[in-house]
Amino acid sequence: MIDAYEDPGTPDVRGGWRYLWWLVRCQPGRSVAGALLGSTWMVLLAATPYLMAKAIDEGLEPGDWPALSGWCFALFAVGSFNAWLSIMRHRTMTRVRMDANFRTVKVVVGQAVRLGAALSRRTGAGEVVTIGVGDVQTIAQALTVVGPGVGACVAYLTVAALLVSVSLVLAAVVLLGIPAIVVLVGPFLSRLQGAETEYRNRQGVLTARIADLAGGLRVLNGLGGKSLVADAFHRDSQHLRTQGYRVGAVTSWVQALGVGLPTLFLAVVTWLAARLAAQGDITVGELVAVYGYVAVLVGPVAFWVECGYQLSRGVVAARRVVTFLRLEPLEDRGTRDAPAEPSALHDPESGVTLLPGRLTALASAHPADSAAVLDRLARYTPSRATWGGVPLDEIRLPQIREHILLADHEADLFAGTLGEMIAPHRGAGNCATSHDALATAIHAAVADDIAQGLPNGLDSQMDPQARNLSGGQRQRIRLTRALLANPEILLAVEPTSALDAHTEALVAERLKGAREGRTTALTTTSPLVLDHADTVLYLVDGKLAASGTHQQLLTREPGYRALVARDVEVMK
């Protein structure tokens, strides 16, 4: 089985079927062993009626007790050996499925890490969750075809060969009848694949809605929008339930036919064999053997139908995984180095220029417009932005990430201690964050009370996304983490929007001191923050309309004055 730290390999993303085949090729020895064990196990199941026929014809009927005892012992030996084979087959196939499970998890997680900040821009969190929770298991289960699936084919051919020695008529009926059963089930498998695909898509949408609802429940409740989102969730869940019923209806037919048709076929062949025995064309022992052969074939046929069912679902899941694995991060075609000296960032689309060493505030009636400017300046979206006169697209992306930090107000906070949440490398050898630097960052973000108010201070355990803290506390923790990174250029999106006026004023004052001499830009409409900025850039419809200090803009820009005064009527 794949090791937790082993390279999972390069997946084949040319299609769902190819991805499943790649999972098989990644464990050739175990896959071959599963096929051999499954085939031997099923063939020996067919040996049971053969040995019974011999015991009857050569021992019981003529009254040869030594021969009867010998054949009975052979039955016991074969049965015991086959029981052991069944155990080994099941263990081997479990390892095959678990390897496929863990390998898929590793390539999906690796792709999520590779996409990095582009992940949220390329796909929803619900899609990734659904892949990890449902699709991985479905794909792993589909690999059952490697063992019992191959064994069913071998057992079918073996039984057909044994029947040829008994009766050509019976052999012909079996050879033609079993494929006919599979053909009858085939259309249902195609319908199942279509219904499963639709169900899977709706499941991803609903999972995303659950994540949104859970993450913003407190805000929604405060704004009175909880019932609106709950109604949308109710509608989506009803659609998903309806589609689930469709999947269940097709599945029920597949499973019913998988059991019913082989049983009906068994009755037909047994009736034909009984007529042949009554006519003296076959012996009583051969009649028993024929019944046993066909009874044994019920298992392979059921496995075929089951494998077809699992493969149909597995291909749908594999296609979803392949679609995710095909996503590409932001293309890095840069070949030039970052500016050696502090330089200005310029966004031609908005006209915004961030001068080095200054605290710049972007104010806009539409926060999304100012956030989009920072996205372009941090090179998270394609643009014509420049840094020191050099297009950002021409600078190596790792160097941009090293020097420019975009601090999003919704950035993820990972579970662990508070210290680990703020400084992941805290105490990790050479990467250790000094206590003084950590204390300075906490003080600058006015987060002292958070650490002091928790039972174990920085060693206190935190929930994912710091849900055991308030919105304002989470915002200060994010700001602390950004300040601790101490980048050359810090771009912060609404870093104080959830804070009370007193705390916001302290953050603005300390932020200016903590970033003295370094380039800092933030989006805000708070007068308490804007008053501490060296330069305020006023945006209208995403374009630079005016610039200056906060006091200057208040004097000469009515729109700006209305914006920071929250005067809706004037703004209109």
Side-chain angles (χ1 to χ4, degrees):
M1 196 179 303
I2 184 171
D3 184 81
Y5 301 99
E6 181 182 341
D7 181 9
T10 303
D12 192 334
V13 296
R14 289 177 290 178
W17 288 106
R18 289 183 179 273
Y19 181 80
L20 293 177
W21 178 238
W22 172 74
L23 291 175
V24 174
R25 288 188 288 110
C26 284
Q27 40 182 336
R30 196 178 294 122
S31 298
V32 171
L36 288 175
L37 289 170
S39 300
T40 307
W41 171 65
M42 285 198 173
V43 168
L44 288 182
L45 288 177
T48 301
Y50 173 82
L51 294 173
M52 288 182 63
K54 288 295 185 180
I56 293 173
D57 289 341
E58 298 180 10
L60 184 61
E61 189 173 349
D64 188 345
W65 298 110
L68 179 62
S69 300
W71 287 114
C72 287
F73 177 77
L75 269 171
F76 174 77
V78 170
S80 300
F81 179 67
N82 217 23
W84 176 81
L85 277 181
S86 178
I87 294 172
M88 300 308 297
R89 172 196 63 82
H90 183 71
R91 289 181 178 179
T92 302
M93 290 312 304
T94 298
R95 290 188 174 94
V96 170
R97 288 188 289 265
M98 293 303 290
D99 184 280
N101 187 315
F102 295 149
R103 198 175 296 273
T104 300
V105 167
K106 290 195 70 173
V107 297
V108 168
V109 171
Q111 172 70 348
V113 173
R114 175 172 170 264
L115 290 173
L119 176 61
S120 59
R121 294 171 171 83
R122 302 297 173 87
T123 189
E127 178 68 13
V128 181
V129 170
T130 306
I131 288 175
V133 173
D135 290 341
V136 170
Q137 296 290 341
T138 303
I139 289 171
Q141 197 62 35
L143 292 197
T144 300
V145 70
V146 173
V150 173
C153 296
V154 174
Y156 168 68
L157 295 175
T158 302
V159 170
L162 290 172
L163 284 173
V164 168
S165 64
V166 176
S167 170
L168 289 175
V169 174
L170 292 175
V173 170
V174 171
L175 284 171
L176 297 176
I178 300 298
I181 292 175
V182 176
V183 169
L184 287 173
V185 178
F188 288 96
L189 295 178
S190 298
R191 286 185 58 190
L192 175 64
Q193 195 171 127
E196 184 79 23
T197 300
E198 178 64 19
Y199 178 80
R200 173 61 183 75
N201 291 337
R202 290 187 180 277
Q203 190 179 36
V205 171
L206 190 63
T207 305
R209 196 175 293 280
I210 291 174
D212 293 340
L213 184 60
L217 187 59
R218 182 181 299 177
V219 176
L220 288 169
N221 195 34
L223 297 175
K226 184 171 66 174
S227 60
L228 181 65
V229 177
D231 290 341
F233 176 79
H234 178 72
R235 288 194 302 271
D236 289 342
S237 63
Q238 293 301 312
H239 293 155
L240 180 64
R241 185 183 65 176
T242 301
Q243 188 62 28
Y245 286 156
R246 294 195 185 105
V247 174
V250 179
T251 301
S252 64
W253 275 104
V254 171
Q255 294 179 343
L257 291 174
V259 175
L261 288 179
T263 304
L264 180 62
F265 180 69
L266 172 62
V268 171
V269 174
T270 303
W271 179 78
L272 288 175
R275 285 182 57 85
L276 292 175
Q279 294 169 2
D281 294 333
I282 61 175
T283 66
V284 174
E286 288 174 333
L287 171 62
V288 173
V290 169
Y291 176 83
Y293 293 150
V294 180
V296 167
L297 280 181
V298 172
V301 174
F303 269 120
W304 276 345
V305 176
E306 177 68 17
C307 287
Y309 167 68
Q310 295 293 352
L311 277 175
S312 295
R313 299 181 70 239
V315 169
V316 171
R319 286 171 181 164
R320 306 294 299 189
V321 171
V322 164
T323 300
F324 178 70
L325 295 179
R326 284 176 177 170
L327 298 177
E328 290 295 331
L330 188 64
E331 187 177 5
D332 182 13
R333 294 178 296 178
T335 58
R336 303 176 65 173
D337 292 329
E341 301 292 333
S343 304
L345 274 174
H346 176 63
D347 175 38
E349 187 172 334
S350 63
V352 167
T353 299
L354 303 183
L355 298 177
R358 297 178 66 83
L359 174 60
T360 305
L362 279 66
S364 171
H366 303 288
D369 291 342
S370 53
V373 173
L374 296 192
D375 260 0
R376 293 193 293 269
L377 292 175
R379 198 183 160 189
Y380 281 109
T381 55
S383 69
R384 295 179 291 111
T386 62
W387 185 13
V390 180
L392 277 176
D393 287 344
E394 296 181 10
I395 300 174
R396 294 182 178 88
L397 189 57
Q399 293 195 20
I400 293 177
R401 296 289 176 261
E402 180 182 350
H403 295 281
I404 303 176
L405 173 63
L406 177 63
D408 193 337
H409 66 294
E410 293 183 350
D412 288 320
L413 296 171
F414 299 102
T417 66
L418 178 61
E420 292 169 343
M421 184 175 284
I422 297 173
H425 298 299
R426 180 171 173 244
N430 294 331
C431 295
T433 301
S434 71
H435 178 76
D436 290 342
L438 182 59
T440 300
I442 291 175
H443 178 73
V446 196
D448 314 71
D449 61 311
I450 302 175
Q452 294 169 3
L454 293 171
N456 300 311
L458 292 175
D459 295 325
S460 299
Q461 287 295 321
M462 307 300 295
D463 293 340
Q465 301 300 343
R467 293 192 183 96
N468 50 335
L469 298 179
S470 68
Q473 289 174 324
R474 288 195 294 270
Q475 197 165 53
R476 283 181 283 160
I477 291 300
R478 292 187 176 100
L479 182 58
T480 301
R481 188 169 61 182
L483 292 174
L484 187 62
N486 197 26
E488 178 183 335
I489 300 175
L490 173 61
L491 310 177
V493 179
E494 299 290 344
T496 63
S497 58
L499 305 182
D500 61 81
H502 174 70
T503 306
E504 188 174 33
L506 280 177
V507 168
E509 179 183 347
R510 294 179 185 179
L511 176 64
K512 184 177 178 65
R515 294 290 300 171
E516 186 71 32
R518 287 182 170 259
T519 306
T520 307
L522 49 87
T523 66
T524 185
T525 56
S526 168
L528 297 172
V529 179
L530 292 168
D531 195 40
H532 284 82
D534 296 318
T535 304
V536 177
L537 304 179
Y538 173 46
L539 305 181
V540 176
D541 295 329
K543 306 293 184 181
L544 180 62
S547 64
T549 65
H550 174 58
Q551 296 300 327
Q552 290 171 344
L553 292 178
L554 284 176
T555 302
R556 67 173 188 251
E557 290 292 332
Y560 177 81
R561 184 167 57 250
L563 172 64
V564 298
R566 309 315 199 257
D567 190 338
V568 179
E569 293 300 323
V570 176
M571 288 169 60
K572 290 180 178 180

